[in-house]
Amino acid sequence: MAERGQLPPPAKRLCCRPGYGSGCRPGGRAGGAGPGGGALCAGPSSAAAAAALGLLPLGKTQSPESLLDIAARKVAEKWPFQRVEERFERIPEPVQRRIVYWSFPRSEREICMYSSFNTGSEDPAAAPVGAAAAPGGAADAADENRLPFRRGIALLDGGCVDNVLQVGFHLSGTVTEPAMQSEPETVCNVAISFDRCKITSVTCSCGNKDIFYCAHVVALSLYRIRKPDQVKLHLPISETLFQMNRDQLQKFVQYLITVHHTEVLPTAQKLADEILSQNSEINQVHGAPDPTAGASIDDENCWHLDEEQVQEQVKLFLSQGGYHGSGKQLNLLFAKVREMLKMRDSNGARMLTLITEQFMADPRLALWRQQGTTMTDKYRQLWDELGALWMCIVLNPHCKLEQKASWLKQLKKWNSVDVCPWEDGNHGNELPNLTNALPQGANANQDSSNRPHRTVFTRAIEACDLHWQDSHLQHIISSDLYTNYCYHDDSENSLFDSHGWPLWHEHVPTACARVDALRSHGYPREALRLAIAIVNTLRRQQQKQLEVFRAQKKELLHKGVTSITNLEGWVGHPLDPVGTLFSSLMEACRVDDESFHGFSDFMENMGQCKSLEYQHLPAHKVLEEGESYLTLAVEVALIGLGQQRIMPDGLYAQEKVCRNEEQLISKLQEIELDDTLVKIFRKQAVFLLEAGPYSGLGEVIHRESVPMHTFAKYLFTSLLPHDAELAYKTALRAMRLLVLESTAPSGDMSRPHHIASVVPNRYPRWFTLSHIESQQCELASTMLTAAKGDVRRLETVLESIQKNIHSSSHIFKLAQDAFKIATLMDSLPDITLLKVSLELGLQVMRMTLSTLNWRRREMVRWLVTCATEVGVYALDSIMQNWFTLFTPTEATSIVATTVMSNSTIVRLHLDCHQQEKLASSARTLALQCAMKDPQNCALSALTLCEKDHIAFETAYQIVLDAATTGMNYSQLFTIARYMEHRGYPMRAYKLATLAMTHLNLSYNQDTHPAINDVLWACALSHSLGKNELAAIIPLVVKSVKCATVLSDILRRCTLTTPGMVGLHGRRNSGKLMSLDKAPLRQLLDATIGAYINTTHSRLTHISPRHYSEFIEFLSKARETFLMAHDGHIQFTQFIDNLKQIYKGKKKLMMLVRERFG
């Protein structure tokens, strides 16, 4: 808590002598005490008083508490001291002392609340003195010990509190902060004002700036609570002054000024001047302020809360944008508000108001609205909690009407601000909340785009109209014995069920908001009673709905339509109704009686008598035999999770549905199932399967209902050990995902409305579809795992997967999961599960055959592996049906190649007959693929057909047929090289010549990837003989215009004799070919011509930085020119022409002359 300055704030009350002027308050002071007689130790007057403070151990002999202390304690709790003075004409001094004594807070719980965050560990106030809380480990304990409350305890235990003095309603003292490694010992002056057992102001010289009280304030407060007998107690200072005569007063003032002359002398002189001035303002007021005199009647009685620091801290946390743990800090502030509400502390609402003002002033709101972007998910959740807290506050069953009116005015003000966040988290680009979009009442024809959006405050504003005066409601929450066994009204809105137990018919989220409000305001018993009534109502409604559906079942199933009975789902709802009921009931399972009932004085506040018998809930009065709060909690969670509801609009709302469902299931998973709970699971599973439109697991559901996959997976795993048939039936029913079905029922929404006319095509707005599909996949995987070894179940699950899952990636994952489960290392392969895996893999192949999928190659390889595990017949089958599963390239390069590999043969232990059968299928596949896609499959086909002459010849012929039209030079060169490698040089030569006809190399493509293929083709022709070389050179001259490539070929052809090792092993004469005769003369002329053309092309756009490179190029050209018998003359003429044509390029021509003359 920020302690502003070292002086206490000015007193609000003016104190004067009795009879001093007409404006003085009546009532005399107790007299008779001499000077100094005001001092008294603040210890209790009896052992009973000490025991009341917990100062005596249990079992010790205690005296009855005096009537004075009983009365003084009650007065000190309820009345401001001014009211006491005005009520009684004369107040004896002992009575004043006891009232002053009892006015200081007696519980450490509030001190703890105002000096520490609730970190989720044990209550710091309840822990043993000096004990380190937080069972979460050393780090948590260290954090706990850094809290001001813990540090205050340490200071108190270390004897650091001294000079403690209580003067009236003011406590002061010094707290010594021990010296640390880097800091010296410091002494802090602490002052505390209090009223009616609440600390109303604090100051400390430490200058601490925080929301909470500093450790020094805590230490002094706990000293007063734990050691009241060691605190000197004086009456208010004005009482002491009243007892002094004029001389004593003058001496008192002069001594005070002398002791503190440097601090108070200017103030003292100023006050003296004003008092001596007849017309001064100070003389117009009767009496004088006394900071120790307690509260006036008009003073608000609340704990000290530094509003400025609350605002500054929230502003700081918001400015950090979720970084540095700011989101966690804001959540801790919200938790602090809830803690205050539970203690029925009025500062809860004050603090939330301050927080909300800072949230509304967050500059990011306007920026996001302007840019049309959404706020972050964590920030959005903070706004949700803000709205929920306001709902709790306005539903406080004991708030005054004027207070509620004030809150309503403030909420409406925030609600009207343009940047106020909407409840569904959207920013205008989408349709409004579905419940608002539907025609309702007088607004049926109003354009939905003109309707105001629901903000985070809308529900709290609406809740201001709710009240607690309904007599039936008050009876429910006030008594465990409120029953009516003679009540036989079986109508829909009956007040009691067939057992005579009370029901509460109200909009479920609203009713549950009442429960949350009761819990939040410290009425757990009343919250529990209402929660039980709501659960009983829901269970009765379930039964009624089942009866209604059974009567209409035949007609509805015949039409294939469904009615949505609740467009506003309970799971994912802004008010979290199911979570509230579940938490309330689970809380009752955990808490002990003392803590559960410690704050339950609801009826006392309602002004009615409260009987002690209501302190303990007689469970048999409201629960059936064998039932408990735990069974009710589980059952209401199952009811909420199984409710059929429409998928809400907007990304945030849809993510919230998923998140809340998973959170609730996570809490359920913490509960160990016993026979009683299993019965509940069975009962609810059967109902959900049979309840038609009221259930998300009904036979016919709306196509836009929230899917049940996550919930069904939990049901399946819970029921499987106890009722496998019901578990599978539930999970299989939940597998559907109708939003992806083209023929799914659109739904008869005449009850209450037709949705089709409102949102004709909402499928693209299922933002969480990928998550939903993954949950569907998880459900299927769970069933596959459980069904291992059960042929019938596996077949059923397989059918469901094939029917309901529409994502190839998820089916592939399931296939992989099934394969892993079937081939676990510690057991023999489960052949049935392997077949399921293979069947799913085949489905993936068919689904992705004509669509692009980056994982396709991985899928194909995996399928071959899976088929290998199934057996030889599976491999043969996928090869025979390859055209429905694979592309030709996949079939030849992956499938057939893998099947024909040695590793496959060894893995399957194939005999010769089986090998030949697979090889035959592979060759057939290869030829079919080569016919269909020769460009990509021809080489693989030739490879696969090598061992069968007829098949190989067929494949070769396919290549030749496709060479002229369907294949490019690269593919043909590759196959030609393969042919040479396999010992077919003439066939390689044939394919190389065909490839050359498709090739075109321009003058500047001297790094083209096909150059190596051209050189190889020429070398092959040269090795075969003069005729082959003579045949290919014209093709080379026609296709290649690059001078350097042609010169390279020319040189290679002149180095050796063609056909040195010809066909059939014949050696030729060994005579080199002449450059003056064909075919080399043609190649030489083409090369020289290419150099000439390339030179002119380069000179057209040459730059100086390329001159040296150009000179080197001419040098290579000269080498080629000189290979001709008249080459020297030709080159000289060529250079002369260049000098003449490009004489403008003087520097370049100078370089040419220097090199070539």
Side-chain angles (χ1 to χ4, degrees), residues 441-481:
N443 297 324
N445 297 320
Q446 186 180 349
D447 182 4
S448 63
S449 62
N450 294 329
R451 296 193 187 102
H453 284 277
R454 297 179 65 84
T455 74
V456 292
F457 301 117
T458 301
R459 292 185 186 273
I461 292 171
E462 294 170 348
C464 289
D465 294 331
L466 300 175
H467 60 81
W468 295 84
Q469 274 69 51
D470 183 272
S471 59
H472 183 59
L473 174 61
Q474 288 213 19
H475 279 110
I476 290 173
I477 60 181
S478 62
S479 172
D480 296 325
L481 304 177

Side-chain angles (χ1 to χ4, degrees), residues 317 319-329:
F317 294 149
S319 69
Q320 292 173 348
Y323 300 103
H324 313 296
S326 58
K328 179 182 178 182
Q329 295 298 318

